[in-house]
Amino acid sequence: MQLSVWTYEGPPHVGAMRVATAMQGLHYVLHAPQGDTYADLLFTMIERRNARPPVTYTTFEARDLGKDTAELFQKAAREAHERFAPEAMIVGASCTAELIQDDPAGLSTAMGLPCPVIPLELPSYQRKEHWGAAETFYQIVRNLADTSLTRGSHGGPRPRANLIGPCALGFRHRDDVAEITRLLDRIGIDVHLVAPLGARPSDIATIGQADFNVTLYPEIGEEAGRWLERTFDQPRTTIVPIGVGATRDFIAEVAGLAGLDVDKAWEDANSRMPWWSRSVDSTYLTGKRVFIFGDATHAVAAERIAREELGFEVCGLGCYNREFARDVRAAAKLSGVDPLITDDHLAVEDAIAEAQPELVLGTQMERHIAKRLGIPCAVISAPVHVQDFPARYSPQMGFEGANVIFDTWVHPLVMGLEEHLLTMFREDFEFSDAAGPSHHAAHAPKTPDNDHQPAPIELSGWTEEAERELKKIPFFVRGKARRNTEAFAAELGRAQIDLDTLYEAKAHYAR
Amino acid sequence: MNHIAAIDRTSRPILRERGQREVFCGLTSIVWLHRKMQDAFFLVVGSRTCAHLIQSAAGVMIFAEPRFATAILEERDLAGMLDAQEELDRVVDRLLARRPDIKQLFLVGSCPSEVIKLDLSKAAQRLGAKHAPNVRILNYSGSGIETTFTQGEDACLAALVPEMPRADDDAPANLILVGSLPDIVEDQFLRLFAKLGIDNVGVLPARNAGGLPTIGPNSRYLLAQPFLGETAQALDNRGAQHIDAMFPFGAEGTSDWLTATAKAFGIDEAHVEEVIAAPRERARRAIAHHAKKLSGKRISFLPDSQLEVPLARFLAQEVGMTPIEVGTPYLHQRHLARDLDRLPDDTRISEGQDVDNQLDRVRADRPDLTVCGLGLANPLEAEGLSTKWAIELVFSPIHGFEQAGDLAELFARPLRRRDRLEV
């Protein structure tokens, strides 16, 4: 048994739902009790989808157990086919139905439904959401791809790529697809098929005709990509185009796969990010200590952007999906930190508190951890919140994605010029502690949280004079100054913190 | 397999449906129960799905470390029961070591733990003996194969009833208010009971482990929620007497609820009228403010919280709305009799659910407002049907005189919004 307060990933059948919901003309019959229908609201509320996910649940009850749950499954499958007339169906069991062993695969085969029916084996007690999505997509591709077709037989004048991996409930997947489609178009490559997002089963049949595959999200697309490589001899990309550097590398990689000369695209006019990063105001970003945690793809991309493109110092890096831990370990080596591979958010919280970063880049979980610790935070990865499905166009990939990332990561921080003004006009009422940074008030640390060790002065051993001096330090670094000074004093065994201790600690921690 | 069956208590036909249900399971009630019982911890013994459900369903991640968690069953736990019991001991020990402030621990059964017949009552006894007297350890089931949404609270409160201290046979009469209410609402009611002259009032669930009310043959209990059938049965079994009343929604529902209680305690009618006249009038005025917007509008309820019948009663009787269909996961005929009687004769009452058929009826009826769960709200809005999320009716203070206007406002807001938007 694993004790879990929050989980980064849902069960594998939720991964399957994400694939089904992303596609058109596919229906999922899920043998599951009524409680599992909660998953619908992930799509209709968090992602604000305007239609129910194409999922029929059998919603069996205790009184059905041991008599007619198998019949219930067949009835649900039959009625779902009648009502929704899908091009293809996927069938499977949730964690509870797995235990009652009704065998949806066998039951649905015996029914002889007049459309392809793809059985899913998703072991709930071993695997998790991303694996479930990858396995479901792989099974769909394997079952529906027309293997009589050959690579490059699409008939178009330009090379064509499949975009593999974008999915429902993904972090900015829809915008990433638009951005990468545009980027490929500019360098002379057409998109043959995007899957699973927006694809129909009949589209999947033609997947083998493209010249190569672009794996946008390895967590979901890699398994299918490997099979396509074996089956159709389609090569696939290995670079995920998040960040300016990675986008440039990605362009070189796809150009190689497509046999194109792409000089033009290298001089991308949309890419403001490199200049924004060089602008004088960004000087304040230098060496900001940042803690990164998320899915492996986004965490690895964030490490490179933070280090190479924003001049941050990465003081922590980790991911929750062990399947891709190797990539994160490699990235951690580049930043010289110990990789944190865990799905225990309490361990992540401890690591963040320990690292005392100035910015956290994480998931919805880290957003809450950061809020509690009074540290600014930006979200870079699923699992996410309704807020992370913005109305505006907001990709993470490509050159526009790099622009978006610059804004998103930098805004929670107090800006460069502002940092100076706050120090200079500290006593001015508009620049007082309570005023906080001028923007993104909701994301910025509030003063009481920031200074979140309001221990009585006598107890923490601060002299009145030192305490007064501490108050003069800008509020957004005061919490850290207090913690550092106290740690320093404890290390030296000093019971009292006076002015000298404060400034000795400052010198000790100076970078 | 729909059929219309005549029932005993009223002549009203009930549409009983059996198909795909679209409701939360009882685990979700943990979300408000853990806020109500401030020294309690809820440990779901279940799957990754259960953990994902409680964190997703109510967006509860705002709490840095909420007082609930899941002991996630893994492959090796399914191999042998002895192992699972030992594992549970290990998890509970770790949990209680981490949270020494916890005085009550609920082991909450889930679908998987029910199916593999993991004996949580045995575990609760064993662990309870080990951690007594610091922690009271109880168990109940919030599984989706046994319970829907609010029924989880029923199962939890029923598990508390055997723990209530016994009152002597000749102890003075006391009142037990049953059902978790927001503290502010609970306090309002306690003040009203005191004014009525009923001082000896206990609340189930109590805010703290030590606060369980006493129970005996002179105890009377009053349900604040319509979904507490099992708890009521457990209280009956301990000799307490049920006070039959409408549920305290709106001016009339709250009046009936208080009046019935006062009557059970032999309080003079004139005194009751004197106490409730002013707040009742205030509630009526607050409701009238929104009734203009709502009067004559047609409303359908999809089954969700079991609050549907008394809410429809409030909207029909006090606001002038027309309930077209009132669906509920389960219809407790005895507890709801007084509210049911006041619904219009032609209101369709349905119990259980076949969600696709029910949505077909909603599309045919085209009500002005549909009350439904979160999974269905946006799809219906996209079809041009205004909706009210049922979950807000469970999480917001809506009981009693002072909240009557807020309750009406919850229904008026979606319509006002629809009128206002020009995009």
Side-chain angles (χ1 to χ4, degrees), chain A residues 1-2 4 6-7 11 34 37-38 40 44-45 52 57 59 62 64 83 95-96 125-126 364 368 372, chain B residues 18 20-22 47 49 52 55 61 64 70 72 75 77 87 90 111 144-145 147-148 356 360 378:
Chain A
M1 271 179 210
Q2 186 199 349
S4 160
W6 296 337
T7 68
Q34 63 186 354
T37 61
Y38 81 89
D40 284 4
T44 66
M45 297 303 285
R52 293 169 64 205
Y57 303 83
T59 60
D64 303 319
R83 181 177 278 269
C95 46
T96 305
Y125 298 91
Q126 295 170 25
Q364 174 69 3
H368 291 303
R372 187 162 164 230
Chain B
R18 182 74 207 283
Q20 179 181 319
R21 290 179 163 218
E22 186 79 24
S47 62
T49 316
H52 195 238
Q55 79 180 34
M61 295 194 292
T70 308
I72 296 181
E75 181 106 276
D77 298 308
E87 282 289 290
R90 183 180 60 81
C111 300
I145 55 174
T147 61
T148 71
D356 286 308
D360 286 346
N378 263 339

CSV table of all heavy atoms in Angstrom, one decimal, chain A residues 1-2 4 6-7 11 34 37-38 40 44-45 52 57 59 62 64 83 95-96 125-126 364 368 372, chain B residues 18 20-22 47 49 52 55 61 64 70 72 75 77 87 90 111 144-145 147-148 356 360 378:
chain,number,residue,atom,x,y,z
A,1,MET,N,0.9,-1.2,0.0
A,1,MET,CA,0.0,0.0,0.0
A,1,MET,C,0.9,1.2,0.0
A,1,MET,O,1.9,1.3,0.7
A,1,MET,CB,-0.9,0.0,1.3
A,1,MET,CG,-2.2,-0.7,1.1
A,1,MET,SD,-3.1,-0.7,2.6
A,1,MET,CE,-4.0,-2.2,2.5
A,2,GLN,N,0.5,2.2,-0.8
A,2,GLN,CA,1.2,3.4,-0.8
A,2,GLN,C,0.4,4.5,-0.3
A,2,GLN,O,-0.8,4.8,-0.7
A,2,GLN,CB,1.6,3.7,-2.3
A,2,GLN,CG,2.5,4.9,-2.5
A,2,GLN,CD,2.4,5.5,-3.9
A,2,GLN,OE1,1.9,4.9,-4.8
A,2,GLN,NE2,3.0,6.7,-4.0
A,4,SER,N,-0.9,8.1,0.0
A,4,SER,CA,-0.9,9.1,-0.9
A,4,SER,C,-1.9,10.2,-0.6
A,4,SER,O,-3.1,9.9,-0.4
A,4,SER,CB,-1.2,8.6,-2.3
A,4,SER,OG,-1.7,9.6,-3.2
A,6,TRP,N,-1.8,13.4,-2.4
A,6,TRP,CA,-2.2,13.8,-3.8
A,6,TRP,C,-1.5,12.8,-4.7
A,6,TRP,O,-0.5,12.2,-4.4
A,6,TRP,CB,-1.6,15.2,-4.1
A,6,TRP,CG,-2.1,16.3,-3.3
A,6,TRP,CD1,-3.3,16.4,-2.6
A,6,TRP,CD2,-1.5,17.5,-3.1
A,6,TRP,NE1,-3.4,17.6,-2.0
A,6,TRP,CE2,-2.3,18.3,-2.3
A,6,TRP,CE3,-0.3,18.1,-3.5
A,6,TRP,CZ2,-2.0,19.6,-1.9
A,6,TRP,CZ3,0.1,19.4,-3.2
A,6,TRP,CH2,-0.8,20.1,-2.4
A,7,THR,N,-2.0,12.7,-5.9
A,7,THR,CA,-1.3,12.0,-6.9
A,7,THR,C,-1.0,12.8,-8.1
A,7,THR,O,-1.8,13.7,-8.5
A,7,THR,CB,-2.1,10.7,-7.4
A,7,THR,OG1,-3.2,11.2,-8.1
A,7,THR,CG2,-2.5,9.9,-6.2
A,11,PRO,N,-5.3,6.9,-12.7
A,11,PRO,CA,-5.2,5.5,-13.1
A,11,PRO,C,-5.1,5.4,-14.6
A,11,PRO,O,-5.4,6.4,-15.3
A,11,PRO,CB,-6.5,4.9,-12.6
A,11,PRO,CG,-7.5,6.0,-12.6
A,11,PRO,CD,-6.7,7.3,-12.2
A,34,GLN,N,-20.1,3.4,-10.5
A,34,GLN,CA,-20.6,4.8,-10.8
A,34,GLN,C,-19.6,5.9,-10.4
A,34,GLN,O,-19.5,6.9,-11.0
A,34,GLN,CB,-21.9,5.1,-10.2
A,34,GLN,CG,-21.9,5.0,-8.6
A,34,GLN,CD,-23.2,5.1,-8.0
A,34,GLN,OE1,-24.2,5.4,-8.7
A,34,GLN,NE2,-23.3,4.9,-6.7
A,37,THR,N,-17.3,7.8,-12.8
A,37,THR,CA,-17.8,8.8,-13.8
A,37,THR,C,-17.3,10.2,-13.4
A,37,THR,O,-17.5,11.1,-14.2
A,37,THR,CB,-19.3,8.8,-13.8
A,37,THR,OG1,-19.8,9.1,-12.6
A,37,THR,CG2,-19.9,7.5,-14.3
A,38,TYR,N,-16.7,10.3,-12.3
A,38,TYR,CA,-16.1,11.7,-11.9
A,38,TYR,C,-15.2,12.1,-13.0
A,38,TYR,O,-15.0,13.3,-13.2
A,38,TYR,CB,-15.3,11.6,-10.6
A,38,TYR,CG,-13.9,11.0,-10.8
A,38,TYR,CD1,-12.9,11.9,-11.0
A,38,TYR,CD2,-13.7,9.7,-10.7
A,38,TYR,CE1,-11.6,11.4,-11.2
A,38,TYR,CE2,-12.4,9.2,-10.9
A,38,TYR,CZ,-11.3,10.1,-11.2
A,38,TYR,OH,-10.1,9.6,-11.4
A,40,ASP,N,-15.3,12.4,-16.0
A,40,ASP,CA,-15.9,13.2,-17.1
A,40,ASP,C,-15.6,14.7,-16.8
A,40,ASP,O,-15.4,15.5,-17.7
A,40,ASP,CB,-17.5,13.1,-17.1
A,40,ASP,CG,-17.9,11.8,-17.8
A,40,ASP,OD1,-17.0,11.0,-18.1
A,40,ASP,OD2,-19.1,11.6,-17.9
A,44,THR,N,-14.9,18.2,-19.0
A,44,THR,CA,-15.9,19.3,-19.2
A,44,THR,C,-15.7,20.5,-18.3
A,44,THR,O,-16.1,21.6,-18.6
A,44,THR,CB,-17.3,18.7,-18.9
A,44,THR,OG1,-17.4,18.4,-17.5
A,44,THR,CG2,-17.6,17.5,-19.7
A,45,MET,N,-15.0,20.3,-17.1
A,45,MET,CA,-14.8,21.5,-16.3
A,45,MET,C,-13.4,22.0,-16.3
A,45,MET,O,-13.1,23.2,-16.6
A,45,MET,CB,-15.1,21.1,-14.8
A,45,MET,CG,-16.6,20.8,-14.6
A,45,MET,SD,-17.8,22.0,-15.1
A,45,MET,CE,-17.6,23.2,-13.8
A,52,ARG,N,-19.7,15.9,-23.7
A,52,ARG,CA,-19.3,14.8,-22.7
A,52,ARG,C,-18.2,14.0,-23.4
A,52,ARG,O,-18.2,13.8,-24.6
A,52,ARG,CB,-20.5,14.0,-22.4
A,52,ARG,CG,-21.6,14.7,-21.6
A,52,ARG,CD,-22.8,13.8,-21.5
A,52,ARG,NE,-22.6,12.6,-20.8
A,52,ARG,CZ,-23.3,11.4,-21.0
A,52,ARG,NH1,-24.2,11.4,-21.9
A,52,ARG,NH2,-23.0,10.4,-20.3
A,57,TYR,N,-20.1,4.2,-19.2
A,57,TYR,CA,-19.7,3.4,-18.1
A,57,TYR,C,-20.8,2.4,-17.8
A,57,TYR,O,-22.0,2.7,-17.9
A,57,TYR,CB,-19.5,4.3,-16.8
A,57,TYR,CG,-18.6,5.4,-16.9
A,57,TYR,CD1,-19.0,6.6,-17.5
A,57,TYR,CD2,-17.3,5.4,-16.4
A,57,TYR,CE1,-18.1,7.7,-17.6
A,57,TYR,CE2,-16.4,6.4,-16.5
A,57,TYR,CZ,-16.9,7.6,-17.1
A,57,TYR,OH,-16.0,8.7,-17.1
A,59,THR,N,-21.4,1.3,-14.8
A,59,THR,CA,-21.8,1.7,-13.4
A,59,THR,C,-22.5,0.6,-12.7
A,59,THR,O,-23.6,0.7,-12.2
A,59,THR,CB,-22.7,3.0,-13.4
A,59,THR,OG1,-23.9,2.7,-14.2
A,59,THR,CG2,-22.0,4.2,-14.0
A,62,ALA,N,-23.1,-3.0,-6.1
A,62,ALA,CA,-22.8,-4.2,-5.2
A,62,ALA,C,-23.8,-5.3,-5.5
A,62,ALA,O,-23.4,-6.4,-5.6
A,62,ALA,CB,-22.9,-3.8,-3.8
A,64,ASP,N,-25.2,-6.1,-8.2
A,64,ASP,CA,-24.9,-6.8,-9.5
A,64,ASP,C,-23.8,-7.8,-9.4
A,64,ASP,O,-23.7,-8.7,-10.2
A,64,ASP,CB,-24.5,-5.8,-10.5
A,64,ASP,CG,-25.5,-4.7,-10.7
A,64,ASP,OD1,-26.7,-5.0,-10.7
A,64,ASP,OD2,-25.1,-3.5,-10.9
A,83,ARG,N,-26.5,4.0,-30.0
A,83,ARG,CA,-26.7,5.5,-29.8
A,83,ARG,C,-25.6,6.3,-30.5
A,83,ARG,O,-26.0,7.3,-31.1
A,83,ARG,CB,-26.7,5.8,-28.3
A,83,ARG,CG,-27.0,7.3,-27.9
A,83,ARG,CD,-27.1,7.5,-26.5
A,83,ARG,NE,-28.4,7.2,-25.9
A,83,ARG,CZ,-29.4,8.1,-25.8
A,83,ARG,NH1,-29.2,9.3,-26.2
A,83,ARG,NH2,-30.5,7.7,-25.3
A,95,CYS,N,-10.2,-0.1,-12.3
A,95,CYS,CA,-9.6,-0.9,-11.2
A,95,CYS,C,-10.5,-1.9,-10.6
A,95,CYS,O,-10.2,-3.0,-10.3
A,95,CYS,CB,-9.0,0.1,-10.2
A,95,CYS,SG,-10.1,1.4,-9.7
A,96,THR,N,-11.8,-1.4,-10.3
A,96,THR,CA,-12.7,-2.3,-9.6
A,96,THR,C,-13.1,-3.5,-10.5
A,96,THR,O,-13.2,-4.6,-10.1
A,96,THR,CB,-13.9,-1.6,-9.1
A,96,THR,OG1,-13.5,-0.5,-8.3
A,96,THR,CG2,-14.8,-2.4,-8.3
A,125,TYR,N,-3.3,-1.7,-11.0
A,125,TYR,CA,-2.6,-1.7,-9.7
A,125,TYR,C,-1.1,-1.7,-10.0
A,125,TYR,O,-0.3,-1.8,-9.0
A,125,TYR,CB,-3.0,-3.0,-8.9
A,125,TYR,CG,-4.5,-2.9,-8.6
A,125,TYR,CD1,-5.5,-3.4,-9.4
A,125,TYR,CD2,-5.0,-2.1,-7.5
A,125,TYR,CE1,-6.8,-3.3,-9.2
A,125,TYR,CE2,-6.3,-2.0,-7.2
A,125,TYR,CZ,-7.2,-2.6,-8.0
A,125,TYR,OH,-8.6,-2.4,-7.8
A,126,GLN,N,-0.7,-1.6,-11.2
A,126,GLN,CA,0.7,-1.5,-11.5
A,126,GLN,C,1.1,-0.2,-12.3
A,126,GLN,O,2.2,0.3,-12.1
A,126,GLN,CB,1.1,-2.6,-12.5
A,126,GLN,CG,1.0,-4.0,-11.9
A,126,GLN,CD,1.2,-5.0,-13.0
A,126,GLN,OE1,1.8,-4.8,-14.1
A,126,GLN,NE2,0.6,-6.2,-12.8
A,364,GLN,N,0.5,21.6,-10.9
A,364,GLN,CA,-0.5,22.1,-9.9
A,364,GLN,C,-0.1,21.9,-8.5
A,364,GLN,O,-0.4,22.7,-7.6
A,364,GLN,CB,-1.9,21.5,-10.3
A,364,GLN,CG,-3.0,21.7,-9.4
A,364,GLN,CD,-3.5,23.2,-9.5
A,364,GLN,OE1,-3.0,23.9,-10.3
A,364,GLN,NE2,-4.4,23.5,-8.7
A,368,HIS,N,0.8,24.7,-5.3
A,368,HIS,CA,0.3,24.8,-3.9
A,368,HIS,C,1.4,24.8,-2.9
A,368,HIS,O,1.4,25.5,-1.9
A,368,HIS,CB,-0.8,23.7,-3.7
A,368,HIS,CG,-2.0,24.0,-4.4
A,368,HIS,ND1,-2.8,25.1,-4.3
A,368,HIS,CD2,-2.6,23.2,-5.4
A,368,HIS,CE1,-3.8,25.0,-5.1
A,368,HIS,NE2,-3.7,23.9,-5.8
A,372,ARG,N,2.3,27.8,-0.3
A,372,ARG,CA,2.4,27.6,1.1
A,372,ARG,C,3.8,28.1,1.7
A,372,ARG,O,3.9,28.6,2.7
A,372,ARG,CB,2.3,26.1,1.4
A,372,ARG,CG,2.2,25.7,2.9
A,372,ARG,CD,1.7,24.4,3.1
A,372,ARG,NE,2.0,24.0,4.5
A,372,ARG,CZ,2.6,22.8,4.8
A,372,ARG,NH1,2.8,22.0,3.8
A,372,ARG,NH2,2.8,22.5,6.0
B,18,ARG,N,-32.6,2.3,-14.6
B,18,ARG,CA,-31.5,1.5,-14.3
B,18,ARG,C,-30.6,1.6,-15.6
B,18,ARG,O,-31.0,1.1,-16.6
B,18,ARG,CB,-31.9,0.1,-14.0
B,18,ARG,CG,-30.9,-0.9,-13.7
B,18,ARG,CD,-30.3,-0.6,-12.3
B,18,ARG,NE,-29.0,-1.0,-12.2
B,18,ARG,CZ,-28.6,-2.3,-12.0
B,18,ARG,NH1,-29.5,-3.2,-12.0
B,18,ARG,NH2,-27.3,-2.6,-11.9
B,20,GLN,N,-26.7,3.9,-17.1
B,20,GLN,CA,-25.5,4.6,-16.6
B,20,GLN,C,-25.9,5.7,-15.7
B,20,GLN,O,-26.7,6.6,-16.0
B,20,GLN,CB,-24.7,5.1,-17.8
B,20,GLN,CG,-23.5,5.9,-17.3
B,20,GLN,CD,-22.6,6.5,-18.5
B,20,GLN,OE1,-22.4,5.9,-19.5
B,20,GLN,NE2,-22.1,7.7,-18.2
B,21,ARG,N,-25.2,5.7,-14.5
B,21,ARG,CA,-25.4,6.8,-13.6
B,21,ARG,C,-24.3,7.8,-13.8
B,21,ARG,O,-23.2,7.4,-14.1
B,21,ARG,CB,-25.4,6.2,-12.2
B,21,ARG,CG,-26.6,5.4,-11.9
B,21,ARG,CD,-26.5,4.9,-10.4
B,21,ARG,NE,-27.9,4.5,-10.0
B,21,ARG,CZ,-28.3,4.7,-8.8
B,21,ARG,NH1,-27.6,5.3,-7.9
B,21,ARG,NH2,-29.5,4.2,-8.4
B,22,GLU,N,-24.6,9.0,-13.4
B,22,GLU,CA,-23.5,10.0,-13.6
B,22,GLU,C,-23.5,10.8,-12.3
B,22,GLU,O,-24.0,11.9,-12.2
B,22,GLU,CB,-23.9,10.9,-14.8
B,22,GLU,CG,-22.9,11.9,-15.2
B,22,GLU,CD,-21.7,11.4,-15.9
B,22,GLU,OE1,-21.8,10.4,-16.6
B,22,GLU,OE2,-20.6,12.1,-15.9
B,47,SER,N,-8.0,2.5,-4.5
B,47,SER,CA,-7.1,2.5,-5.7
B,47,SER,C,-6.6,3.9,-6.0
B,47,SER,O,-7.0,4.9,-5.4
B,47,SER,CB,-7.8,1.9,-6.8
B,47,SER,OG,-8.9,2.8,-7.2
B,49,THR,N,-7.4,5.4,-8.5
B,49,THR,CA,-8.6,6.1,-9.0
B,49,THR,C,-9.3,6.9,-7.8
B,49,THR,O,-9.7,8.0,-8.0
B,49,THR,CB,-9.7,5.1,-9.6
B,49,THR,OG1,-9.0,4.2,-10.4
B,49,THR,CG2,-10.7,5.9,-10.4
B,52,HIS,N,-7.3,9.9,-7.1
B,52,HIS,CA,-7.5,10.9,-8.2
B,52,HIS,C,-8.8,11.5,-8.1
B,52,HIS,O,-9.0,12.7,-8.3
B,52,HIS,CB,-7.3,10.1,-9.5
B,52,HIS,CG,-7.1,11.0,-10.7
B,52,HIS,ND1,-8.0,11.0,-11.8
B,52,HIS,CD2,-6.2,11.9,-11.0
B,52,HIS,CE1,-7.5,11.9,-12.6
B,52,HIS,NE2,-6.4,12.5,-12.2
B,55,GLN,N,-9.1,14.2,-5.2
B,55,GLN,CA,-8.4,15.5,-5.5
B,55,GLN,C,-9.0,16.2,-6.7
B,55,GLN,O,-8.9,17.4,-6.7
B,55,GLN,CB,-6.9,15.2,-5.6
B,55,GLN,CG,-6.5,14.7,-7.0
B,55,GLN,CD,-5.0,14.5,-7.0
B,55,GLN,OE1,-4.3,14.2,-6.1
B,55,GLN,NE2,-4.4,14.8,-8.2
B,61,MET,N,-7.2,20.7,-3.8
B,61,MET,CA,-5.7,20.8,-3.6
B,61,MET,C,-5.3,22.1,-2.9
B,61,MET,O,-4.1,22.3,-2.7
B,61,MET,CB,-5.0,20.5,-4.9
B,61,MET,CG,-5.2,19.1,-5.3
B,61,MET,SD,-4.1,18.6,-6.6
B,61,MET,CE,-4.6,19.7,-7.9
B,64,ALA,N,-2.9,22.5,1.8
B,64,ALA,CA,-1.5,22.1,1.7
B,64,ALA,C,-1.4,20.6,2.1
B,64,ALA,O,-0.8,19.8,1.4
B,64,ALA,CB,-0.6,22.9,2.5
B,70,THR,N,-5.2,8.5,0.7
B,70,THR,CA,-5.6,7.2,0.2
B,70,THR,C,-4.4,6.3,0.5
B,70,THR,O,-3.3,6.6,0.2
B,70,THR,CB,-5.9,7.3,-1.3
B,70,THR,OG1,-6.8,8.3,-1.5
B,70,THR,CG2,-6.4,6.0,-1.8
B,72,ILE,N,-3.2,3.4,-1.2
B,72,ILE,CA,-3.4,2.9,-2.5
B,72,ILE,C,-3.0,1.4,-2.6
B,72,ILE,O,-1.9,1.1,-2.3
B,72,ILE,CB,-2.6,3.7,-3.6
B,72,ILE,CG1,-3.1,5.1,-3.7
B,72,ILE,CG2,-2.7,3.0,-5.0
B,72,ILE,CD1,-2.5,6.0,-4.7
B,75,GLU,N,-0.5,-4.1,-6.6
B,75,GLU,CA,-0.5,-5.5,-7.0
B,75,GLU,C,-0.3,-6.5,-5.9
B,75,GLU,O,-1.0,-7.4,-5.7
B,75,GLU,CB,0.5,-5.7,-8.1
B,75,GLU,CG,0.5,-7.1,-8.7
B,75,GLU,CD,-0.1,-7.1,-10.0
B,75,GLU,OE1,-1.3,-7.2,-10.1
B,75,GLU,OE2,0.7,-7.1,-11.0
B,77,ASP,N,-0.6,-6.1,-2.8
B,77,ASP,CA,-1.7,-6.2,-1.7
B,77,ASP,C,-2.8,-7.1,-2.1
B,77,ASP,O,-3.5,-7.7,-1.3
B,77,ASP,CB,-2.3,-4.8,-1.5
B,77,ASP,CG,-1.2,-3.8,-1.0
B,77,ASP,OD1,-0.5,-4.1,0.0
B,77,ASP,OD2,-1.1,-2.7,-1.6
B,87,GLU,N,-0.2,-4.3,5.9
B,87,GLU,CA,0.2,-3.1,5.2
B,87,GLU,C,-0.7,-1.9,5.8
B,87,GLU,O,-0.1,-0.8,6.0
B,87,GLU,CB,-0.2,-3.2,3.7
B,87,GLU,CG,0.9,-4.0,3.0
B,87,GLU,CD,2.1,-3.2,2.8
B,87,GLU,OE1,2.1,-2.2,2.0
B,87,GLU,OE2,3.1,-3.6,3.4
B,90,ARG,N,0.7,-0.7,8.9
B,90,ARG,CA,1.9,0.1,8.7
B,90,ARG,C,1.6,1.5,8.3
B,90,ARG,O,2.1,2.5,8.8
B,90,ARG,CB,2.7,-0.6,7.6
B,90,ARG,CG,4.1,0.1,7.3
B,90,ARG,CD,4.8,-0.7,6.2
B,90,ARG,NE,4.1,-0.8,4.9
B,90,ARG,CZ,4.1,0.2,4.1
B,90,ARG,NH1,4.8,1.3,4.3
B,90,ARG,NH2,3.4,0.1,2.9
B,111,CYS,N,-14.6,0.9,-3.6
B,111,CYS,CA,-15.0,-0.2,-4.5
B,111,CYS,C,-14.0,-1.4,-4.4
B,111,CYS,O,-14.4,-2.5,-4.2
B,111,CYS,CB,-15.2,0.2,-5.9
B,111,CYS,SG,-16.5,1.5,-6.1
B,144,GLY,N,-18.4,3.4,-4.5
B,144,GLY,CA,-19.3,3.7,-5.5
B,144,GLY,C,-20.3,2.5,-5.9
B,144,GLY,O,-21.2,2.7,-6.6
B,145,ILE,N,-19.9,1.3,-5.4
B,145,ILE,CA,-20.9,0.2,-5.6
B,145,ILE,C,-21.9,0.2,-4.5
B,145,ILE,O,-22.9,-0.5,-4.6
B,145,ILE,CB,-20.2,-1.2,-5.8
B,145,ILE,CG1,-19.3,-1.5,-4.6
B,145,ILE,CG2,-19.4,-1.2,-7.1
B,145,ILE,CD1,-18.7,-2.9,-4.6
B,147,THR,N,-22.6,3.4,-2.4
B,147,THR,CA,-23.1,4.7,-2.1
B,147,THR,C,-22.9,5.7,-3.2
B,147,THR,O,-22.1,5.5,-4.1
B,147,THR,CB,-22.3,5.3,-0.9
B,147,THR,OG1,-20.9,5.4,-1.3
B,147,THR,CG2,-22.4,4.4,0.4
B,148,THR,N,-23.8,6.7,-3.2
B,148,THR,CA,-23.6,7.8,-4.1
B,148,THR,C,-23.2,9.0,-3.2
B,148,THR,O,-23.6,9.1,-2.1
B,148,THR,CB,-24.9,8.2,-4.9
B,148,THR,OG1,-25.8,8.7,-4.0
B,148,THR,CG2,-25.4,7.0,-5.6
B,356,ASP,N,-28.3,8.8,-20.5
B,356,ASP,CA,-28.6,9.2,-21.8
B,356,ASP,C,-30.1,9.4,-22.0
B,356,ASP,O,-30.5,10.4,-22.7
B,356,ASP,CB,-28.0,8.2,-22.8
B,356,ASP,CG,-26.5,8.3,-22.9
B,356,ASP,OD1,-26.0,9.4,-23.2
B,356,ASP,OD2,-25.8,7.3,-22.7
B,360,ASP,N,-32.0,12.9,-22.9
B,360,ASP,CA,-33.0,13.0,-24.0
B,360,ASP,C,-34.3,13.7,-23.5
B,360,ASP,O,-34.9,14.6,-24.2
B,360,ASP,CB,-33.4,11.6,-24.5
B,360,ASP,CG,-32.3,11.0,-25.4
B,360,ASP,OD1,-31.4,11.8,-25.8
B,360,ASP,OD2,-32.4,9.8,-25.6
B,378,ASN,N,-21.3,21.8,-18.6
B,378,ASN,CA,-20.8,22.5,-19.8
B,378,ASN,C,-21.4,21.9,-21.0
B,378,ASN,O,-21.8,22.6,-21.9
B,378,ASN,CB,-19.3,22.5,-19.8
B,378,ASN,CG,-18.7,23.8,-19.3
B,378,ASN,OD1,-19.5,24.8,-19.3
B,378,ASN,ND2,-17.5,23.9,-18.9
